[in-house]
Amino acid sequence: PILLADAYFLDGRHADAIAQINLRINETEGTEKLTAEGSLGYYLAKSGRIPEAVPIYSRLRSSLEASPQVVTDLVLIAYAIGRVDEGLQYFERSCKERRLPKLMFSFNPIWQDVRADKRVYDVLKRIEDSQSQEKARSSIFPSFRKYIPTSVSPALRRTKSETT
């Protein structure tokens, strides 16, 4: 139903998209309901109904800690309601938490507003560099672990995977 609602929305059938997503909201609970509400907030905002989208955005913000998957919905709604700086912060968080749907971000027209913000590419580069450095450190360290004297703290002799 969410994909059908997206198809309606992208086809310019905003009323049909909103009706379809409301059906989904009424028949689900928990995470699925929050995701559907995120879509509704986005559809409303992009349809020019920002005053109706803002309470949904606020509700999703308050549920973020308990339901971190809504971060991507927050990105989209924030950009759609004009809170671009907040959207960028949520975008960065979604990247750090590895929640960004990369293919959707790259190709789905719903992500067009986000892709238009050139700062997101700086975020992607910074996080990619950080993750590459972390991966390099974690792959190099175990090979040198055998050279750490046994008198050194055992914590230094463990690999990252042994400590998590």
Side-chain angles (χ1 to χ4, degrees):
I2 290 178
L3 291 177
L4 179 58
D6 281 352
Y8 283 154
F9 184 80
L10 293 172
D11 192 40
R13 297 170 56 185
H14 296 178
D16 291 334
I18 290 168
Q20 185 67 36
I21 207 66
N22 274 320
L23 288 174
R24 186 68 180 159
I25 289 168
N26 292 332
E27 68 187 26
T28 60
E29 295 180 11
T31 300
E32 288 184 49
K33 185 176 190 117
L34 288 171
T35 300
E37 287 177 350
S39 294
L40 176 61
Y42 175 79
Y43 300 156
L44 291 169
K46 292 302 284 182
S47 300
R49 297 165 61 179
I50 292 174
E52 294 173 71
V54 169
I56 294 170
Y57 177 71
S58 296
R59 192 167 46 255
L60 292 176
R61 284 179 66 182
S62 66
S63 70
L64 180 59
E65 295 311 314
S67 303
Q69 70 281 356
V70 303
V71 71
T72 54
D73 295 303
L74 289 169
V75 172
L76 293 169
I77 298 171
Y79 273 87
I81 64 175
R83 296 184 183 176
V84 177
D85 291 337
E86 288 178 27
L88 184 65
Q89 290 173 350
Y90 288 125
F91 179 82
E92 184 164 358
R93 179 172 174 169
S94 72
C95 291
K96 286 179 180 176
E97 294 176 359
R98 300 176 191 253
R99 294 185 182 281
L100 178 70
K102 291 182 181 179
L103 284 175
M104 291 182 74
F105 168 75
S106 298
F107 301 107
N108 190 321
I110 287 175
W111 286 84
Q112 182 176 351
D113 293 340
V114 181
R115 286 193 306 267
D117 183 353
K118 301 303 177 199
R119 298 175 301 168
V120 300
Y121 300 101
D122 294 334
V123 169
L124 289 171
K125 175 94 171 92
R126 187 172 61 252
I127 289 173
E128 182 180 300
D129 290 347
S130 170
Q131 289 172 350
S132 294
Q133 290 172 358
E134 180 62 34
K135 185 175 181 181
R137 277 194 298 271
S138 66
S139 64
I140 292 171
F141 186 72
S143 64
F144 289 105
R145 187 173 44 155
K146 62 185 173 191
Y147 299 111
I148 299 174
T150 55
S151 61
V152 174
S153 167
L156 291 176
R157 296 182 50 79
R158 290 195 293 260
T159 64
K160 183 177 180 185
S161 61
E162 293 173 324
T163 59
T164 56

